[in-house]
Amino acid sequence: LGSSSQSCSFGSMAAAAVMPVSLPTSSGSREVLDLGYPVLNLQKIADPKVSIHQCAQKYGSQGIRSIFEKLEERETKPIFEEIVLSDNNIGDDGAHFLAQGLEGNAKLKRLILPRTNIRTAGFQYLGALLGTAPNLEMLVASGNLCDALGVEGHFSAGLSKNRSLKSLCLAACRLGDKGVAALCNGPLKTHPSLEHVSLNYNRLEDGVTRDITKMLAVNQTLCYLELCGNSIGPEGAEQLVSGLIANKGKLTRLGLGQNNLRLAGARVLCNHFTSAQGTTLEYLDLRHNIVTFKGVVELRSKMGKPIDSDEHNKGWMINFGERQLMLNAL
């Protein structure tokens, strides 16, 4: 994940270092890091010979703890607007130090934590941070196996208190139906600013679509919902269409690629997309749902976008003016 040109540098410091400090690494050595910039980026893979594994082992929870200790020694509050810790094994302890060090911080806008080995306890600390960070707009915590318990309790409570978050990415967190149901029946129903939620690759099945439908019926802000890489089938597709109708067009982008919709589920969603009630849906991803070639021919013909027409055959992407529907046979 990239960052701005103002991100902190390692090793040789820029000539205009603002707040250089020496921090411990997991290898036992120390490195110089400048804490005086608004972007703190510890995902550094500048050398092509450096692997993600090496990056993960470099800065652990003690490195995170030291950052805030150094700031406290200088009687300075963190000025970070963006913190990128992708692929660093900070674990639950690191999440705890982040929550403590950033409590009530009004500067923080983006917290990027994918694949950082945060588990159930760590998510509870992130929830506490969500409840006190008044301007946090983006939280990416994908690839951390917190299970359903991770997003219950303090996480849901903190998300309910939050009033600023716009994007929440919880892909591949092993939430299951139970975890997503807890979010849908709690903070996602009434969050005042959340526009994008990613729940990709979370072992979701048809049952949870009832909770998603109830959430969509009352949610006023969500524009983009990602549910790709799960096991939602035809029954779930029907439930989701009911939710989209009840939502009255507020949700404009829906990702359902790599599920188990098959032809029956894809047909229900395509019918909605081309109906008068579905015209507000700007983007619908139905790729890799075992629709079969025969099924794609049927659906495209019914939608007036026959597969043998050069004008409309754009591969997987079917254009309806500025609206897009993604569909293939596999």
Side-chain angles (χ1 to χ4, degrees):
L1 182 66
S3 183
S4 74
S5 60
Q6 289 182 306
S7 61
C8 301
S9 55
F10 295 82
S12 60
M13 300 299 297
V18 179
M19 192 185 299
V21 299
S22 176
L23 296 179
T25 68
S26 298
S27 64
S29 63
R30 301 186 72 85
E31 289 201 7
V32 177
L33 182 70
D34 196 332
L35 303 182
Y37 288 102
V39 177
L40 174 66
N41 185 358
L42 298 190
Q43 190 197 37
K44 287 291 181 179
I45 313 177
D47 189 325
K49 293 181 289 184
V50 175
S51 68
I52 290 290
H53 176 73
Q54 288 171 299
C55 174
Q57 301 303 315
K58 192 169 188 179
Y59 290 97
S61 60
Q62 291 307 309
I64 305 303
R65 179 179 183 178
S66 294
I67 288 172
F68 296 106
E69 287 179 342
K70 296 295 183 181
L71 289 169
E72 188 175 354
E73 288 173 5
R74 289 159 174 75
E75 298 182 347
T76 301
K77 297 291 185 183
I79 65 166
F80 310 128
E81 296 179 7
E82 176 176 306
I83 297 178
V84 182
L85 301 177
S86 309
D87 300 301
N88 283 275
N89 283 338
I90 68 169
D92 291 344
D93 287 341
H96 190 190
F97 296 138
L98 281 173
Q100 287 181 325
L102 296 168
E103 182 179 3
N105 189 285
K107 295 286 187 180
L108 186 64
K109 294 181 179 179
R110 295 172 295 278
L111 185 56
I112 316 298
L113 304 171
R115 304 172 301 277
T116 48
N117 201 31
I118 298 174
R119 301 300 176 103
T120 300
F123 267 71
Q124 298 300 294
Y125 295 128
L126 293 181
L129 177 57
L130 278 170
T132 65
N135 296 312
L136 183 63
E137 297 178 353
M138 176 188 292
L139 173 61
V140 180
S142 300
N144 293 294
L145 304 182
C146 69
D147 297 314
L149 287 174
V151 295
E152 296 174 357
H154 292 302
F155 186 89
S156 283
L159 184 56
S160 295
K161 292 178 183 177
N162 179 276
R163 292 292 179 269
S164 60
L165 200 67
K166 294 182 179 179
S167 179
L168 176 62
C169 297
L170 298 176
C173 288
R174 209 165 60 185
L175 301 181
D177 286 5
K178 183 180 178 184
V180 171
L183 292 171
C184 288
N185 293 318
L188 295 188
K189 270 190 173 182
T190 56
H191 198 284
S193 61
L194 200 54
E195 299 175 357
H196 166 245
V197 174
S198 173
L199 298 171
N200 295 339
Y201 303 102
N202 268 302
R203 306 182 180 185
L204 306 183
E205 300 184 357
D206 285 340
V208 78
T209 58
R210 294 180 177 84
D211 300 285
I212 295 173
T213 293
K214 292 175 184 176
M215 179 271 292
L216 290 175
V218 296
N219 183 281
Q220 299 293 310
T221 60
L222 195 61
C223 300
Y224 188 10
L225 178 60
E226 296 186 80
L227 298 171
C228 299
N230 289 294
S231 300
I232 297 171
E235 180 184 341
E238 293 182 7
Q239 283 288 334
L240 290 173
V241 167
S242 297
L244 290 171
I245 293 172
N247 183 253
K248 297 180 180 178
K250 300 179 187 71
L251 190 80
T252 58
R253 298 171 64 85
L254 177 61
L256 283 166
Q258 294 177 283
N259 273 277
N260 192 34
L261 298 176
R262 299 183 178 268
L263 176 57
R267 183 186 291 120
V268 169
L269 286 155
C270 287
N271 287 344
H272 174 74
F273 187 84
T274 54
S275 71
Q277 292 175 305
T279 55
T280 54
L281 200 57
E282 299 172 359
Y283 174 82
L284 178 61
D285 184 0
L286 302 178
R287 290 173 294 177
H288 303 297
N289 272 287
I290 323 177
V291 176
T292 73
F293 180 76
K294 182 179 179 181
V296 170
V297 171
E298 173 197 319
L299 295 176
R300 291 187 63 138
S301 177
K302 187 174 181 181
M303 292 187 291
K305 306 286 184 178
I307 199 167
D308 57 354
S309 170
D310 290 337
E311 179 184 355
H312 302 301
N313 189 6
K314 307 293 184 183
W316 295 351
M317 181 185 295
I318 309 172
N319 294 305
F320 294 77
E322 295 184 356
R323 302 168 67 218
Q324 297 175 340
L325 189 153
M326 310 293 283
L327 178 70
N328 69 339
L330 300 178

